[in-house]
Every structure is written in structure tokens, then in C-alpha cells.
Amino acid sequence: NAGVTQTPKFRILKIGQSMTLQCAQDMNHNYMYWYRQDPGMGLKLIYYSVGAGITDKGEVPNGYNVSRSTTEDFPLRLELAAPSQTSVYFCASSIPGTGNTEAFFGQGTRLTVV
Amino acid sequence: AQRVTQPEKLLSVFKGAPVELKCNYSYSGSPELFWYVQYSRQRLQLLLRHISRESIKGFTADLNKGETSFHLKKPFAQEEDSAMYYCALSGRMDSSYKLIFGSGTRLLVRP
């Protein structure tokens, strides 16, 4: 059981470049989330999705885009990378509101924008 | 506004000492509260949730609705408890569920 898989694990981008962080889950969870983890700031919610075809903004969506064409996949797109987007990105999935709402996390993507 | 507050960025204790990591929340409704732990260079994983009222690795947490708190406690800290701890809240916000986190507390257990 793979759980939540993120790729890549590390990436260095130049300012203005674009990239897509991939996230896939095999637990048939309807909710998926993207967070960024900055030192001393905890996890901030970027975007989330309540199911295929439905996404919504979190606390810090600027500079990012997402899509959810399938239940399994929830990619995060950076169009014009900026140094402020240097962070560790975590994807997670869960089934909230069911009494068994544990969120499962990917191993993270460490992104540096130079 | 919905919020999770962890007032301590770093908590340093000696092995065998009691530990209490504080968590306060703001939410208009009945939230689900969780503690997640992140060991060095690993992914976040669930430590415990308030609805199960269980003890995991010697840690317990009690939801106090009057004080809107969900503090994490352990009577005798171990070196392997050193990690980053996040308090999290899941609840309905703007017609869908969100999972929001506090800023985290780094627990350092010294030998």
C-alpha cells in the first residue's frame, strides 16, 4: 500500500521557471491538500480538493495552481517561480467527517528557487 | 476565524521530565482535534486524535472545550520523543472540510 506519493523529492528552480509537483494517493480518499512548510511557520494550506473536478483556495494560494482530474492525482503547479516559494511542500489526503479522518502525508518536496 | 495556536516554538526538557505541549484552537462548532508528529526528515504522521481518547507512545491529550485547548502530555520524556509536533483541527469551514495546523512545537529531549 503506497499511501501518498510525491515527486520529486528535491528540486532547484531558477526565478521565473515553472514546474509541477506531483501527488498521488491510492486510498480512494476524496479530500486532498497541499501545504507548504516554512521554518518556524508550521504548515500553511495552499489549495485543497474535495473530489475530482473540485478545488478551492487555502490560506496561501497566490503563485500556485492545482487541478484534480482524477480521485488519485492532485498536482500543484508553479507558473513563475519566486524565491518566496522556497519551501518544503507536503501533499496529504483524507476522508473528513467520517469518524476516521486521519490525514496521510507524502514524504515532501524540498524546493529551492534561486 | 478558525485558528490553531501553539505558543511554544521550542520546548527543551531532560530525559525523564514531564512534557506538556500546548495547543489552543478557535472554531465555531465541534472540531476534530489531532496531534501530528514529524521526526527528523520524515513525513508527518498521526500521533493521536481526540475522539479516540487513547495513549500513544505514552502521550495523551484531552480536549477541553471550555478552554478550547488540546494540550499534549507525557509524564516521562524519552530521547526518541525529540521531534516536531503539530496540533491540527479538522472541521467544516465555508461548506467544506479543512484541515488546518498550528505553527508547531519542536520538542528536544536532552539526555
Side-chain angles (χ1 to χ4, degrees):
Chain A
N1 189 349
V4 179
T5 303
Q6 283 183 244
T7 56
K9 289 187 179 180
F10 304 94
R11 184 72 185 267
I12 298 175
L13 279 183
K14 293 185 178 179
I15 295 171
Q17 286 185 319
S18 62
M19 76 164 294
T20 299
L21 283 68
Q22 301 291 344
C23 176
Q25 54 97 4
D26 61 0
M27 297 171 284
N28 203 31
H29 286 172
N30 55 340
Y31 273 67
M32 294 187 75
Y33 314 84
W34 273 106
Y35 296 89
R36 56 179 289 170
Q37 183 185 39
D38 299 324
M41 301 297 289
L43 279 79
K44 296 291 187 184
L45 182 62
I46 306 171
Y47 271 95
Y48 67 103
S49 168
V50 306
I54 307 170
T55 63
D56 207 347
K57 296 177 181 179
E59 302 167 84
V60 289
N62 291 344
Y64 307 94
N65 278 300
V66 293
S67 60
R68 183 95 181 271
S69 57
T70 66
T71 299
E72 294 77 20
D73 299 298
F74 190 41
L76 178 72
R77 179 85 177 161
L78 283 71
E79 290 293 351
L80 291 170
S84 61
Q85 293 178 305
T86 294
S87 188
V88 181
Y89 292 84
F90 286 98
C91 177
S93 71
S94 72
I95 309 178
T98 62
N100 183 18
T101 55
E102 176 182 355
F104 291 83
F105 283 80
Q107 76 272 33
T109 296
R110 187 174 295 273
L111 175 67
T112 303
V113 182
V114 296
Chain B
Q2 299 83 10
R3 184 181 295 121
V4 177
T5 303
Q6 294 179 251
E8 304 136 331
K9 287 191 174 183
L10 173 66
L11 185 61
S12 180
V13 301
F14 286 103
K15 178 182 174 181
V19 169
E20 182 179 46
L21 286 75
K22 291 183 167 49
C23 172
N24 288 89
Y25 67 91
S26 172
Y27 180 74
S28 55
S30 295
E32 284 191 78
L33 275 298
F34 307 85
W35 277 98
Y36 284 82
V37 61
Q38 185 181 28
Y39 300 103
S40 181
R41 300 267 178 197
Q42 294 186 24
R43 68 184 72 195
L44 278 84
Q45 56 188 284
L46 180 68
L47 181 62
L48 51 78
R49 71 193 89 188
H50 87 271
I51 58 173
S52 25
R53 301 181 62 83
E54 57 195 344
S55 174
I56 303 293
K57 299 183 179 183
F59 285 98
T60 59
D62 290 318
L63 178 60
N64 186 322
K65 291 185 177 181
E67 296 182 358
T68 59
S69 67
F70 188 55
H71 303 327
L72 183 68
K73 300 178 183 180
K74 185 170 182 176
F76 307 104
Q78 303 299 313
E79 290 182 66
E80 56 266 30
D81 296 329
S82 295
M84 194 75 179
Y85 291 81
Y86 290 97
C87 184
L89 177 155
S90 176
R92 274 200 174 273
M93 305 173 206
D94 302 325
S95 78
S96 59
Y97 284 92
K98 287 183 183 176
L99 178 63
I100 60 174
F101 287 80
S103 54
T105 298
R106 180 169 300 281
L107 174 63
L108 178 61
V109 182
R110 300 178 183 276

